[in-house]
Amino acid sequence: MPNTSFHQETLAIHKGYTKDFQQTMSVPIYQTTAYAFENSDQAGARFALQELGNIYSRLTNPTNDVLEKRLASLEGGASGLVTSSGSAAIFYAITNLASSGDNIAVADKIYGGSANLFLHTLKNFGIEARVFSIDNPDTLEPLIDSKTKAIFFESLSNPQIAIAPIEKITAIAKKYSIVTICDNTVATPILFNPIKWGVDVVVHSLSKYASGQGSTISGGIIDREGLNDLIKENPRYPQFNTPDPSYHGLIYADVPLPIFNLRIRTALLRDIGATLSPFNAWLVLQGLETLKVRIYEHSANALKIAKFLSSHQEVLSVNYPGLPNNAYHELSKKYFKEGLCSGLVSFEIRGDLKRAKKICDSTKIFSVVVNIGDTKSLIVHPASTTHSQLNEKQLKEVGILPNTIRLSVGLENAQDLIADLSKAIEG
Ligand SMILES: *Cc1c(COP(=O)(O)O)cnc(C)c1O
């Protein structure tokens, strides 16, 4: 399928697979460690990158390759690369740009695991994370200096359900020729394509809506067409513009391929090896085939539940960008397809921490789970679980109160879900 003018639903089902020699309709799981070369000359040519092809499954695998092509096409990017988790994808995207002594600018409203990676683990690697406010993007520019190598944010953030002012961020990044990385996990490529709004690199936890059934951990990285031009001869990125001693003195900027993902594959994936197993790639391929219908239904169910909660006397506030009174409502209409806002809803219940926990424990259909993006509805009390390491002041800063409850609305019947919540709240 070379034609890229197909719609996303078609690409999600067909892109990158032309049926193997057995004519299997389902993409085969190429469960192999390594690949045979025709002869030693071919082996040498592949190692020298003179010929592209499979060597070893830590680097490439035909099942993973189909998923990579599908992700790139769904995001409108140049190339895709899959990893063993979303966290690994984020780690590679950042460390492809920044090394010890460098800094990165990161949004304040992001996934807790990413905040831990940036503020603690990368700090130990000598990479400093400087935090800007997505609600006040003027805080970004003063953080930037010659050592700033990346700007990271989430399109629709987990768990705050906040929407970043994308063009303001990308405009500042362009001014300083810095690569932007957007985590598009919650919005999914169906509702939003960051690259179309000027973002350079998109990362995903495919463990969530993309695979969709809570059955695998996986991640992906998509780079944009033309990113090579931003990196080439850019003094911020010497690792792409000087000979790589670990690759026969290769200068990545001279290679006529999407070099952002190429360098992750040939250096970071090669050396650190957070490779996706082909079986897990196959699970994500199954999920992507139905992503569009699922994310529409997740969004519709979430809106119904948000409306129900808004009208409930015992609920003090509801956070869902699809509600007209939400601070991000205008941005949701501007950025997201048909104004759909995915499946996360949070609310504050009248009362204290104890009552919030009791409601979580009283639901019958919702399960107490910290995951998101499953077909099954999930409920969690952030202050005692995902955010329990924060003190009261820090909780307030990230918008979590003792009485906050977060939902990942699944694909069950909305009336059943509303009845379940209603009983738990009133019970
Ligand atoms: C879950 C999640 C991640 C981490 O992905 P894993 O696949 O769990 O490693 C990163 N970003 C966001 C927004 C997430 O929700």
Side-chain angles (χ1 to χ4, degrees):
M1 281 216 348
N3 188 341
T4 52
S5 67
F6 287 108
H7 292 90
Q8 283 182 310
E9 304 91 296
T10 311
L11 294 168
I13 293 173
H14 293 288
K15 179 77 185 179
Y17 182 53
T18 47
K19 299 189 184 70
D20 75 344
F21 64 99
Q22 299 285 13
Q23 294 291 296
T24 62
M25 284 301 290
S26 175
V27 176
I29 302 172
Y30 285 96
Q31 195 67 45
T32 184
T33 307
Y35 306 87
F37 303 112
E38 275 167 28
N39 51 47
S40 301
D41 278 347
Q42 187 188 46
R46 290 210 181 156
F47 269 83
L49 284 183
Q50 286 157 359
E51 175 186 308
L52 293 178
N54 295 315
I55 298 174
Y56 191 67
S57 274
R58 182 165 6 95
L59 301 167
T60 57
N61 174 281
T63 310
N64 294 18
D65 183 61
V66 175
L67 177 56
E68 288 169 340
K69 290 193 164 84
R70 269 182 209 180
L71 286 173
S73 76
L74 289 174
E75 283 291 13
S79 79
L81 181 144
V82 290
T83 55
S84 58
S85 69
S87 303
I90 294 167
F91 176 76
Y92 284 164
I94 296 284
T95 53
N96 200 28
L97 300 168
S99 328
S100 178
D102 293 336
N103 66 73
I104 56 174
V106 303
D108 53 348
K109 293 187 174 174
I110 57 171
Y111 178 64
S114 301
N116 271 335
L117 168 65
F118 299 152
L119 298 173
H120 303 292
T121 301
L122 288 185
K123 185 178 169 203
N124 292 336
F125 288 4
I127 298 169
E128 182 202 351
R130 301 177 175 178
V131 181
F132 67 95
S133 160
I134 60 161
D135 299 325
N136 181 8
D138 291 344
T139 54
L140 170 58
E141 198 164 352
L143 304 180
I144 293 172
D145 62 24
S146 67
K147 292 284 184 189
T148 307
K149 302 301 173 91
I151 298 171
F152 178 95
F153 61 97
E154 294 178 8
S155 46
L156 178 56
S157 81
N158 173 20
Q160 304 85 356
I161 328 179
I163 300 173
I166 320 266
E167 306 120 285
K168 289 194 180 142
I169 296 172
T170 54
I172 294 168
K174 274 207 182 78
K175 183 171 163 191
Y176 294 92
S177 297
I178 300 173
V179 174
T180 46
I181 303 170
C182 176
D183 183 333
N184 199 33
T185 298
V186 180
T188 81
I190 301 294
L191 299 185
F192 182 63
N193 289 130
I195 289 172
K196 289 193 185 131
W197 291 85
V199 167
D200 298 310
V201 174
V202 181
V203 290
H204 278 281
S205 169
L206 304 172
S207 321
K208 314 293 171 53
Y209 293 100
S211 56
Q213 298 186 320
S215 56
T216 184
I217 298 286
S218 46
I221 306 169
I222 300 99
D223 53 10
R224 76 165 166 88
E225 209 73 63
L227 178 55
N228 289 15
D229 299 334
L230 173 65
I231 293 172
K232 197 174 167 79
E233 289 169 17
N234 185 333
R236 283 187 202 275
Y237 306 114
Q239 66 274 47
F240 287 90
N241 288 291
T242 50
D244 181 352
S246 83
Y247 228 109
H248 319 292
L250 177 79
I251 297 174
Y252 282 95
D254 293 342
V255 180
L257 294 167
I259 55 175
F260 186 85
N261 272 339
L262 178 72
R263 186 171 180 274
I264 292 182
R265 195 184 301 283
T266 55
L268 298 176
L269 206 52
R270 178 195 66 180
D271 297 348
I272 308 172
T275 304
L276 185 62
S277 99
F279 178 70
N280 287 350
W282 184 83
L283 287 174
V284 180
L285 285 169
Q286 304 315 295
L288 283 184
E289 292 193 3
T290 58
L291 178 58
K292 185 189 170 189
V293 287
R294 283 187 295 105
I295 203 67
Y296 269 59
E297 198 62 19
H298 277 293
S299 302
N301 266 3
L303 183 59
K304 284 178 196 162
I305 286 173
K307 283 182 177 162
F308 156 74
L309 290 168
S310 299
S311 66
H312 201 293
Q313 286 180 13
E314 294 300 301
V315 175
L316 300 176
S317 66
V318 182
N319 181 20
Y320 187 66
L323 295 174
N325 65 354
N326 185 275
Y328 301 101
H329 186 62
E330 290 308 314
L331 284 180
S332 77
K333 285 200 296 192
K334 176 175 174 185
Y335 291 136
F336 297 156
K337 193 177 287 170
E338 299 178 31
L340 299 176
C341 293
S342 195
L344 301 188
V345 177
S346 68
F347 63 100
E348 272 132 39
I349 193 74
R350 187 186 305 281
D352 58 4
L353 173 142
K354 246 176 86 185
R355 181 171 191 212
K357 282 172 80 171
K358 183 157 172 271
I359 289 170
C360 294
D361 295 345
S362 308
T363 51
K364 297 281 187 282
I365 303 175
F366 285 84
S367 303
V368 180
V369 170
V370 294
N371 191 20
I372 61 165
D374 199 325
T375 47
K376 303 160 229 29
S377 286
L378 314 174
I379 189 166
V380 75
H381 178 244
S384 66
T385 56
T386 50
H387 292 68
S388 57
Q389 73 280 19
L390 303 184
N391 63 35
E392 210 158 302
K393 182 171 166 282
Q394 291 169 318
L395 279 175
K396 226 179 191 155
E397 279 168 10
V398 299
I400 304 272
L401 299 174
N403 55 341
T404 301
I405 294 172
R406 190 194 73 189
L407 309 175
S408 171
V409 178
L411 301 183
E412 301 94 339
N413 179 279
Q415 288 312 314
D416 292 345
L417 294 173
I418 286 170
D420 191 31
L421 283 172
S422 178
K423 239 182 174 165
I425 291 171
E426 283 141 36

